[in-house]
Amino acid sequence: MSKKMKIGPYSAYAIAVKYGYTGTEEQWVKEQEANRVASEQAAQQAEQARDGAETAATRAEIAQRQTEEVRTDALDKIGAAKSDALEAVAAKQTSATAAVDTAKTSALNDVEAAKDAAVKAVTDTQSTATQAVDAARDKAVEQVNAATEAAKTAANEAAASAGNASTSAQQATDSLQELKDGIASGNFKGEKGDRGEKGDTGETGPAATVAVGTVTGLGAGAAPTVTNSGDEHNAVLDFGIPTASAIDIAVNVLFKLPRTGKVYTVKIPRFASNPTVNCEKLDDNAGLVCEPSTDTVEGRDDYADIPLFKWYNCNYKRDTSGHAYPTAIEHLSDDYRKTGAVDVGVIQMTPYVRWDDSDPDYILWSITDSPRDGFTPWAAAKSGDTVYPYVVHSKFFSGVGEDGLLRSVYDLVPARNQSYYSLITDYAKKGAGYKGAGGERVAWQILFNAIKCAVKSSQEKYAGTTGYNLQYSAAIQRSEKLTYFPVTAAQAKNLLVGSYVSIGYGSNNNGTVNIDRSGATMHSYASGAKILKIEALDDTTSAVYLDCDAFDTMPVALSDTLNAPITLSTIYWCSGTTDAVIGHHDGSPGSNTDAKHPYRVQGIEYAVGGYEVLSDVVLAFDDSNGKDIYVCPAGVAHTKTDAEILAKYKKVGNFPAGNFWIGDIGFDPETCVTWPATQGSGDKTGVGDYVHGGGNASKNTLREYLQGGDLGQWSTAGASHVYCWRWLGGGYWHCLAAD
């Protein structure tokens, strides 16, 4: 059954339905955009005909230059005949130029009128019923057809005039050449005679013609073509015109047309002036409410129907510059896919952002949907000098896809042991523009949490998977291979059906069993297996049934004296978990506060149980063990060389040495990354997240920027939390990455 998608108060679809339209919104958008494309194609044909007229004018100008060259060569020896010829040519040129100018003006006026009518027809479709749109479309088509015929006629007339001028110019050239040859041979001698009488006007030569031939539709994005299937005297111009794709239509309808110019601002108190976590909404943001939702409770969300805040799932690719562009949009594209050798992302209207930290007591953070003084487009919307009307982010942390590459698709457990170095290597396998997600993907949720929820701390609304660090030895040792893991009844109460675990055994660490999740054997029986159900075996023992191959629970001998028990370890949530949240709202499935569930903001999944390794941000120790933050600018290659990082990356800020609670964050509008800026005093004041400072190191020692927290960070975690202990190649079980 077709699914209707609500676009909001700016959609004409609701009006169309009110007046009797029965199709789906997707069908309505495609029909109206198809009408617009037809009108624009006809207008393009008229413009091409106008170009034919301009070509005729160029030919007349070439004839003029040829005549002038001969005139210059014979200037001191040619008398009356030269003057007569030049006058004749000048007269013809004037006539041809006037005719061409008239034809060009007429064609341009007709084309512009047709284009205006076509654009008006598209605009009307946004605010009138289907019947009115059809009438406007028909009128636009009639005007375009008339303009096309007028342009063709004008082009033919201009070409005829140009042909006459060209013939006259050739006659003049022949006459001048005859004079020049005569002088050279001595046939003309003596003093210059009196000017003779003007000769009779010669007959008009054959006129050149320009005609429009075939018009062929090309694929979306193709370059338009013009070929001459006639000859140099009788041109027949065949046109190839690219058509608009469904994606282009969707981008226009969703992200270009419904812009309002409204400004949404949050006033953030500086910690030194006011240690609260709460902020104040200003401008068009004042009075709006956003409450987190779950899979069973729908919170109030005043932003759901505001175009700037609406998001859509999509498939995307990256060009060689790294810019992400949509290839399919859910519910609007037949080829949208959730799994396979694709990437799933979230597409949203480009926000223009302003960070005003000029006041000593507070910071103003604002976004709007249109260019405005003091605002800059979000970094991910820019590619060189181009600003796209949309931003695309990967929806999930990356797992290993069916093609062996890191993919953002549904139903994958995130790939562990990622590092700054591995991101450079592994994402490049997908293509030149793939580098891994950087700091702006995390800053995106910090921005929208601040704007919509008016808080400095993400954990004020969403705890994330930060208190689900569980490891249990098998409660029963069995040699039979089954698909359940035995735990005590008390342990079973801590585990969540639908979450994911690994089953394996530890390693020998100097005579003791090491059950750190970084060990490969900890995942040897099951790696990221889903808990299907939990059932009591008896009063004291429960069975945790898993989606995995059968296994036994007999201990494994690590040495003659050391045995490792079979162990269950909780692990990250699988991609797509937060789709259970009602509607298109922010929130967590199950609970936003139990510290066992991931959450989503603007459709993007966060806090699944591991840190996010930032691909473009590196920390460098300063003289006092504080950290300088270096960000790779757009257009600069990510590098593994320390000297190149320090020389080519942009230093955007610094934060103090040691471990501390965060009071305030900094923000760089150019790269759209955030960082801890000042110290706070706890998890309920200021930003309320924690910095693990990474100890002491020599100046310019480089460390990875790990952001967010893992399964066991509890209240120290959060969107702004930073862990500074890992070197640039230091992958670990809790190190995850996104595209």
Side-chain angles (χ1 to χ4, degrees), residues 647-676:
K648 296 181 179 180
Y649 286 20
K650 176 184 178 182
K651 179 181 174 181
V652 297
N654 175 277
F655 58 81
N659 305 326
F660 61 90
W661 294 97
I662 304 171
D664 303 300
I665 61 169
F667 175 73
D668 176 41
E670 179 188 354
T671 59
C672 292
V673 301
T674 63
W675 62 90

Side-chain angles (χ1 to χ4, degrees), residues 338-361:
K338 289 186 173 183
T339 59
V342 298
D343 285 299
V344 177
V346 180
I347 186 170
Q348 182 177 329
M349 183 184 292
T350 294
Y352 291 76
V353 61
R354 178 182 62 189
W355 174 268
D356 182 358
D357 58 358
S358 59
D359 193 282
D361 294 329

Side-chain angles (χ1 to χ4, degrees), residues 576-600:
T577 298
T578 57
D579 267 26
V581 176
I582 294 175
H584 264 44
H585 305 303
D586 298 342
S588 305
S591 170
N592 285 300
T593 58
D594 68 355
K596 294 183 177 181
H597 292 85
Y599 62 87
R600 76 178 181 201

Side-chain angles (χ1 to χ4, degrees), residues 20-33:
Y21 185 74
T22 60
T24 65
E25 182 175 3
E26 177 185 0
Q27 292 169 337
W28 184 86
V29 170
K30 290 182 177 179
E31 288 171 7
Q32 306 315 312
E33 290 302 318

